[in-house]
Amino acid sequence: MRRLAIILLALSGTSIGCGPSLTVRHLDPTNDRAEVWVNGQQQGVLGYGESLNIDLEPGQHRLKATRPGEARNAWHKGGGEWRVVVLDDVVLSLLPQPDRATDDGEPPAP
């Protein structure tokens, strides 16, 4: 019984202080690399097919993904940041974007 109590205490101790995490998956073959930014700080650079895991504090965060050397978010329609409240683990997948030149909400003309 004492051994069981020690194991349970050890397991509960490993989960104390564990906050949410952000996993970014680069799934866009049209963009070779992606820089990941959290709250204005670069967290890493991903190649197509790679993932990055970042530990976060619970609360509000600003996320952005850019092409190397650019300031504009290549995966956000307006080019800005995603503002999110993180309370649990989050997965962000960077996917190919449709052609925005014709993306006005109307179907394409025949």
Side-chain angles (χ1 to χ4, degrees):
M1 185 65 171
R2 184 173 180 171
R3 179 183 279 176
L4 178 62
I6 292 170
I7 292 171
L8 289 176
L9 284 174
L11 289 175
S12 68
T14 60
S15 65
I16 295 174
C18 291
S21 67
L22 166 67
T23 301
V24 181
R25 298 179 188 160
H26 186 348
L27 303 176
D28 182 358
T30 63
N31 288 290
D32 237 10
R33 315 246 345 115
E35 293 180 353
V36 177
W37 301 80
V38 176
N39 301 325
Q41 300 293 315
Q42 185 187 37
Q43 301 297 311
V45 179
L46 296 172
Y48 171 65
E50 295 179 336
S51 294
L52 176 66
N53 193 30
I54 305 162
D55 291 329
L56 297 174
E57 294 291 324
Q60 189 174 33
H61 296 278
R62 297 175 292 119
L63 311 177
K64 182 166 73 166
T66 65
R67 294 181 188 107
E70 294 184 9
R72 185 178 181 282
N73 185 343
W75 291 271
H76 185 284
K77 188 171 185 170
E81 299 175 323
W82 297 289
R83 294 181 179 265
V84 296
V85 175
V86 178
L87 301 176
D88 205 351
D89 293 344
V90 175
V91 176
L92 173 64
S93 296
L94 304 176
L95 301 170
Q97 297 298 304
D99 181 14
R100 292 197 178 127
T102 60
D103 186 18
D104 59 1
E106 296 293 322

